[in-house]
Amino acid sequence: MSTPAPGSVMRGAVDLSSLRNRPAAPATPPAEGAAPAGALPLVFDVTDATFGEVLELSRTVPVVIDLWAEWCGPCKQLSPVLEKVVTELAGRLVLAKVDVDANPQLAQGFRAQSIPMVLALVAGQPVPLFTGAVPEQQVRDVFAQLLQLAAQHGVTGTVPVAGAADAAPAEEPPLPPLHAEAFAAIEEGDYARAITAYEKALAENPRDSDARAGLGQVRLLDRVQGADLQAARAAAAADPTGVDAQFVVADLDVVGGHVDDAFGRLLDLFAALPADERAPVRERLLELFGIIGDDDARVVRARARLASLLF
């Protein structure tokens, strides 16, 4: 993600020009189980043919895009989390699900190099969010930042929720105080305060996996804030073994969804450095592994290569 977290750093990482002017599909009767007229489902499938309608909807309410496939295990872990959080937000976001196998044009337009891949549309513009199965708290944090970004662009609408008038609002359990402090800081774009709060939470409970994941994510967001990808790539090309220069590009690649590129860059750097200069690169790799998730296939491959370089 980018300014307050999703935005300027990553905007443009996805090219929708080939899809933007796609004619809308002809109207079809509502499918069995669809929401009644006047109430839009909060979670729905989108296809190559219906994507134009989703672009238009994003001018009213932020649309989260979940790129998945039936064979993808991490997708099956992440999708219920996305649906739960979107449902709890009660119409402030909607979730559009894209089966990449059935919709190759959308997969190509979104540059889906790996899945699950989650991004958003705000006023017709793509905002990449994250890849891989991430913890629920991280999803909540990212969606909070997305709503802030959407508000900055005037996208503050909601969609009517079927049955909302009759249903009592679900009570969400309160966050632990330090998590709540970090969450509030992230919403304000104050990453330094969020980092401090998560660090305190980990000092109190080193096994707090949500705090560990949140800390890694917010450190990454803090590092890329205001970074210029083109300038960073030029600096890295001019200094192939410059640790700081390579770190910036790797961070931006992770934020932009190019996780394999980021890992490959850092592993190449690790291999090229003398043994006594490798520790910071290993530490950065381990931090990024934690952000992406230990079960992610890209992390598994990168860990295997790192181990081969160590022994």
Short mmCIF file of all heavy atoms in Angstrom, two decimals, residues 33-44 57 61-62 83-95 157-170:
data_model
loop_
_atom_site.label_atom_id
_atom_site.label_comp_id
_atom_site.label_asym_id
_atom_site.label_seq_id
_atom_site.Cartn_x
_atom_site.Cartn_y
_atom_site.Cartn_z
N GLY A 33 -30.44 -16.55 -4.87
CA GLY A 33 -29.70 -16.13 -3.69
C GLY A 33 -29.16 -14.71 -3.78
O GLY A 33 -28.53 -14.24 -2.85
N ALA A 34 -29.38 -14.02 -4.92
CA ALA A 34 -28.87 -12.65 -5.05
C ALA A 34 -29.66 -11.73 -4.14
O ALA A 34 -30.77 -12.02 -3.72
CB ALA A 34 -28.99 -12.19 -6.51
N ALA A 35 -29.07 -10.58 -3.83
CA ALA A 35 -29.76 -9.61 -2.97
C ALA A 35 -30.98 -9.06 -3.68
O ALA A 35 -31.02 -8.96 -4.90
CB ALA A 35 -28.80 -8.47 -2.63
N PRO A 36 -32.02 -8.71 -2.95
CA PRO A 36 -33.22 -8.14 -3.56
C PRO A 36 -32.93 -6.80 -4.19
O PRO A 36 -31.95 -6.15 -3.88
CB PRO A 36 -34.18 -8.01 -2.37
CG PRO A 36 -33.30 -7.94 -1.17
CD PRO A 36 -32.11 -8.78 -1.49
N ALA A 37 -33.84 -6.37 -5.07
CA ALA A 37 -33.67 -5.08 -5.75
C ALA A 37 -33.53 -3.98 -4.71
O ALA A 37 -34.22 -3.96 -3.70
CB ALA A 37 -34.88 -4.81 -6.65
N GLY A 38 -32.61 -3.04 -4.97
CA GLY A 38 -32.39 -1.93 -4.07
C GLY A 38 -31.32 -2.20 -3.04
O GLY A 38 -30.92 -1.30 -2.33
N ALA A 39 -30.88 -3.46 -2.92
CA ALA A 39 -29.81 -3.78 -1.98
C ALA A 39 -28.71 -4.51 -2.73
O ALA A 39 -28.94 -5.54 -3.34
CB ALA A 39 -30.36 -4.67 -0.86
N LEU A 40 -27.51 -3.95 -2.73
CA LEU A 40 -26.38 -4.52 -3.45
C LEU A 40 -25.67 -5.53 -2.55
O LEU A 40 -25.44 -5.25 -1.38
CB LEU A 40 -25.41 -3.41 -3.84
CG LEU A 40 -24.18 -3.83 -4.64
CD1 LEU A 40 -24.60 -4.19 -6.05
CD2 LEU A 40 -23.16 -2.71 -4.65
N PRO A 41 -25.33 -6.71 -3.08
CA PRO A 41 -24.55 -7.63 -2.25
C PRO A 41 -23.22 -7.00 -1.86
O PRO A 41 -22.59 -6.31 -2.66
CB PRO A 41 -24.33 -8.84 -3.18
CG PRO A 41 -25.33 -8.70 -4.28
CD PRO A 41 -25.61 -7.25 -4.42
N LEU A 42 -22.79 -7.23 -0.65
CA LEU A 42 -21.49 -6.72 -0.22
C LEU A 42 -20.36 -7.55 -0.79
O LEU A 42 -19.23 -7.06 -0.91
CB LEU A 42 -21.40 -6.71 1.31
CG LEU A 42 -22.38 -5.78 2.02
CD1 LEU A 42 -22.17 -5.86 3.53
CD2 LEU A 42 -22.22 -4.35 1.54
N VAL A 43 -20.64 -8.79 -1.14
CA VAL A 43 -19.65 -9.70 -1.73
C VAL A 43 -20.26 -10.29 -2.99
O VAL A 43 -21.37 -10.84 -2.95
CB VAL A 43 -19.27 -10.83 -0.75
CG1 VAL A 43 -18.24 -11.75 -1.37
CG2 VAL A 43 -18.75 -10.26 0.56
N PHE A 44 -19.56 -10.16 -4.11
CA PHE A 44 -20.11 -10.66 -5.37
C PHE A 44 -18.97 -11.02 -6.31
O PHE A 44 -17.82 -10.59 -6.13
CB PHE A 44 -21.03 -9.62 -6.03
CG PHE A 44 -20.40 -8.27 -6.22
CD1 PHE A 44 -19.69 -7.96 -7.37
CD2 PHE A 44 -20.52 -7.30 -5.23
CE1 PHE A 44 -19.10 -6.71 -7.54
CE2 PHE A 44 -19.94 -6.04 -5.39
CZ PHE A 44 -19.23 -5.74 -6.55
N LEU A 57 -19.08 1.56 -10.12
CA LEU A 57 -19.45 1.48 -8.71
C LEU A 57 -18.37 2.10 -7.83
O LEU A 57 -18.67 2.73 -6.81
CB LEU A 57 -19.67 0.01 -8.32
CG LEU A 57 -19.99 -0.27 -6.85
CD1 LEU A 57 -21.30 0.40 -6.45
CD2 LEU A 57 -20.06 -1.77 -6.60
N VAL A 61 -18.39 3.99 -3.98
CA VAL A 61 -17.94 3.28 -2.80
C VAL A 61 -16.66 2.51 -3.16
O VAL A 61 -16.54 2.02 -4.29
CB VAL A 61 -19.04 2.30 -2.30
CG1 VAL A 61 -19.35 1.24 -3.34
CG2 VAL A 61 -18.65 1.64 -0.98
N PRO A 62 -15.67 2.45 -2.27
CA PRO A 62 -14.46 1.68 -2.60
C PRO A 62 -14.79 0.21 -2.85
O PRO A 62 -15.58 -0.39 -2.11
CB PRO A 62 -13.58 1.84 -1.35
CG PRO A 62 -14.11 3.05 -0.65
CD PRO A 62 -15.57 3.09 -0.94
N GLU A 83 -14.25 -11.42 3.51
CA GLU A 83 -15.72 -11.34 3.53
C GLU A 83 -16.21 -10.90 4.91
O GLU A 83 -17.14 -10.10 5.02
CB GLU A 83 -16.31 -12.68 3.12
CG GLU A 83 -16.03 -13.04 1.67
CD GLU A 83 -16.49 -14.44 1.29
OE1 GLU A 83 -17.28 -15.03 2.07
OE2 GLU A 83 -16.08 -14.94 0.23
N LYS A 84 -15.59 -11.44 5.95
CA LYS A 84 -15.99 -11.08 7.32
C LYS A 84 -15.79 -9.58 7.57
O LYS A 84 -16.70 -8.90 8.07
CB LYS A 84 -15.18 -11.90 8.33
CG LYS A 84 -15.44 -11.52 9.78
CD LYS A 84 -14.53 -12.30 10.71
CE LYS A 84 -14.71 -11.87 12.16
NZ LYS A 84 -13.76 -12.56 13.08
N VAL A 85 -14.61 -9.07 7.23
CA VAL A 85 -14.30 -7.67 7.52
C VAL A 85 -15.17 -6.74 6.67
O VAL A 85 -15.69 -5.73 7.17
CB VAL A 85 -12.81 -7.39 7.32
CG1 VAL A 85 -12.50 -5.92 7.57
CG2 VAL A 85 -11.96 -8.26 8.25
N VAL A 86 -15.35 -7.07 5.40
CA VAL A 86 -16.20 -6.24 4.53
C VAL A 86 -17.63 -6.23 5.05
O VAL A 86 -18.29 -5.18 5.11
CB VAL A 86 -16.14 -6.75 3.08
CG1 VAL A 86 -17.26 -6.13 2.25
CG2 VAL A 86 -14.79 -6.41 2.46
N THR A 87 -18.14 -7.39 5.46
CA THR A 87 -19.51 -7.47 5.97
C THR A 87 -19.67 -6.61 7.23
O THR A 87 -20.68 -5.90 7.39
CB THR A 87 -19.88 -8.93 6.27
OG1 THR A 87 -19.79 -9.69 5.06
CG2 THR A 87 -21.29 -9.03 6.82
N GLU A 88 -18.66 -6.64 8.11
CA GLU A 88 -18.75 -5.87 9.34
C GLU A 88 -18.72 -4.36 9.07
O GLU A 88 -19.23 -3.58 9.88
CB GLU A 88 -17.61 -6.25 10.28
CG GLU A 88 -17.78 -7.65 10.86
CD GLU A 88 -16.59 -8.07 11.71
OE1 GLU A 88 -15.60 -7.30 11.78
OE2 GLU A 88 -16.62 -9.17 12.29
N LEU A 89 -18.14 -3.96 7.95
CA LEU A 89 -18.10 -2.53 7.61
C LEU A 89 -19.43 -2.03 7.05
O LEU A 89 -19.59 -0.84 6.77
CB LEU A 89 -16.96 -2.25 6.64
CG LEU A 89 -15.57 -2.32 7.27
CD1 LEU A 89 -14.48 -2.31 6.21
CD2 LEU A 89 -15.36 -1.17 8.25
N ALA A 90 -20.38 -2.95 6.84
CA ALA A 90 -21.79 -2.61 6.60
C ALA A 90 -22.01 -1.63 5.45
O ALA A 90 -22.73 -0.64 5.59
CB ALA A 90 -22.43 -2.08 7.88
N GLY A 91 -21.38 -1.88 4.31
CA GLY A 91 -21.68 -1.09 3.12
C GLY A 91 -20.69 0.01 2.82
O GLY A 91 -20.81 0.69 1.80
N ARG A 92 -19.68 0.21 3.69
CA ARG A 92 -18.67 1.24 3.39
C ARG A 92 -17.68 0.75 2.36
O ARG A 92 -16.99 1.54 1.71
CB ARG A 92 -17.95 1.64 4.68
CG ARG A 92 -18.85 2.28 5.71
CD ARG A 92 -18.10 2.54 7.00
NE ARG A 92 -17.07 3.55 6.81
CZ ARG A 92 -16.07 3.74 7.67
NH1 ARG A 92 -15.94 2.96 8.73
NH2 ARG A 92 -15.17 4.69 7.45
N LEU A 93 -17.55 -0.56 2.21
CA LEU A 93 -16.75 -1.21 1.16
C LEU A 93 -17.57 -2.33 0.58
O LEU A 93 -18.47 -2.87 1.23
CB LEU A 93 -15.47 -1.83 1.75
CG LEU A 93 -14.39 -0.97 2.38
CD1 LEU A 93 -13.34 -1.88 3.02
CD2 LEU A 93 -13.73 -0.09 1.34
N VAL A 94 -17.27 -2.71 -0.66
CA VAL A 94 -17.81 -3.94 -1.21
C VAL A 94 -16.63 -4.79 -1.69
O VAL A 94 -15.53 -4.28 -1.93
CB VAL A 94 -18.80 -3.70 -2.36
CG1 VAL A 94 -20.04 -2.97 -1.86
CG2 VAL A 94 -18.15 -2.94 -3.51
N LEU A 95 -16.87 -6.09 -1.80
CA LEU A 95 -15.83 -7.04 -2.18
C LEU A 95 -16.22 -7.72 -3.49
O LEU A 95 -17.25 -8.39 -3.56
CB LEU A 95 -15.63 -8.09 -1.08
CG LEU A 95 -14.64 -9.21 -1.35
CD1 LEU A 95 -13.22 -8.65 -1.51
CD2 LEU A 95 -14.67 -10.24 -0.21
N GLY A 157 -19.43 7.12 -0.31
CA GLY A 157 -20.76 6.55 -0.31
C GLY A 157 -20.82 5.21 0.40
O GLY A 157 -19.80 4.64 0.80
N THR A 158 -22.03 4.72 0.60
CA THR A 158 -22.24 3.38 1.14
C THR A 158 -23.29 2.70 0.28
O THR A 158 -24.01 3.35 -0.49
CB THR A 158 -22.73 3.43 2.60
OG1 THR A 158 -23.96 4.16 2.65
CG2 THR A 158 -21.70 4.09 3.50
N VAL A 159 -23.37 1.41 0.39
CA VAL A 159 -24.40 0.67 -0.33
C VAL A 159 -25.40 0.14 0.69
O VAL A 159 -25.02 -0.22 1.81
CB VAL A 159 -23.80 -0.50 -1.16
CG1 VAL A 159 -22.86 0.03 -2.21
CG2 VAL A 159 -23.10 -1.50 -0.26
N PRO A 160 -26.69 0.11 0.33
CA PRO A 160 -27.68 -0.44 1.26
C PRO A 160 -27.44 -1.93 1.44
O PRO A 160 -27.13 -2.65 0.50
CB PRO A 160 -29.01 -0.16 0.56
CG PRO A 160 -28.67 -0.02 -0.88
CD PRO A 160 -27.29 0.57 -0.93
N VAL A 161 -27.56 -2.38 2.66
CA VAL A 161 -27.31 -3.79 2.98
C VAL A 161 -28.65 -4.48 3.19
O VAL A 161 -29.48 -4.02 3.97
CB VAL A 161 -26.45 -3.91 4.25
CG1 VAL A 161 -26.17 -5.36 4.57
CG2 VAL A 161 -25.15 -3.14 4.07
N ALA A 162 -28.85 -5.58 2.47
CA ALA A 162 -30.09 -6.33 2.61
C ALA A 162 -30.28 -6.77 4.06
O ALA A 162 -29.39 -7.35 4.66
CB ALA A 162 -30.07 -7.55 1.70
N GLY A 163 -31.46 -6.46 4.62
CA GLY A 163 -31.77 -6.88 5.97
C GLY A 163 -31.13 -6.05 7.05
O GLY A 163 -31.27 -6.35 8.23
N ALA A 164 -30.42 -4.99 6.66
CA ALA A 164 -29.70 -4.21 7.67
C ALA A 164 -30.65 -3.55 8.65
O ALA A 164 -30.33 -3.38 9.83
CB ALA A 164 -28.83 -3.15 6.99
N ALA A 165 -31.83 -3.17 8.19
CA ALA A 165 -32.76 -2.48 9.08
C ALA A 165 -33.24 -3.38 10.20
O ALA A 165 -33.57 -2.93 11.29
CB ALA A 165 -33.97 -1.97 8.27
N ASP A 166 -33.30 -4.70 9.92
CA ASP A 166 -33.83 -5.62 10.91
C ASP A 166 -32.74 -6.22 11.78
O ASP A 166 -33.02 -6.76 12.84
CB ASP A 166 -34.59 -6.76 10.21
CG ASP A 166 -35.72 -6.22 9.35
OD1 ASP A 166 -36.35 -5.24 9.78
OD2 ASP A 166 -35.96 -6.77 8.26
N ALA A 167 -31.52 -6.18 11.29
CA ALA A 167 -30.45 -6.87 12.02
C ALA A 167 -29.81 -5.94 13.03
O ALA A 167 -29.56 -4.77 12.75
CB ALA A 167 -29.40 -7.37 11.03
N ALA A 168 -29.54 -6.48 14.20
CA ALA A 168 -28.82 -5.69 15.20
C ALA A 168 -27.36 -5.62 14.79
O ALA A 168 -26.80 -6.59 14.29
CB ALA A 168 -28.95 -6.36 16.57
N PRO A 169 -26.73 -4.46 14.98
CA PRO A 169 -25.33 -4.36 14.59
C PRO A 169 -24.47 -5.31 15.41
O PRO A 169 -24.65 -5.45 16.62
CB PRO A 169 -24.98 -2.90 14.90
CG PRO A 169 -26.02 -2.45 15.88
CD PRO A 169 -27.25 -3.23 15.57
N ALA A 170 -23.55 -5.98 14.71
CA ALA A 170 -22.66 -6.92 15.39
C ALA A 170 -21.66 -6.14 16.24
O ALA A 170 -21.11 -5.14 15.80
CB ALA A 170 -21.92 -7.77 14.37
#
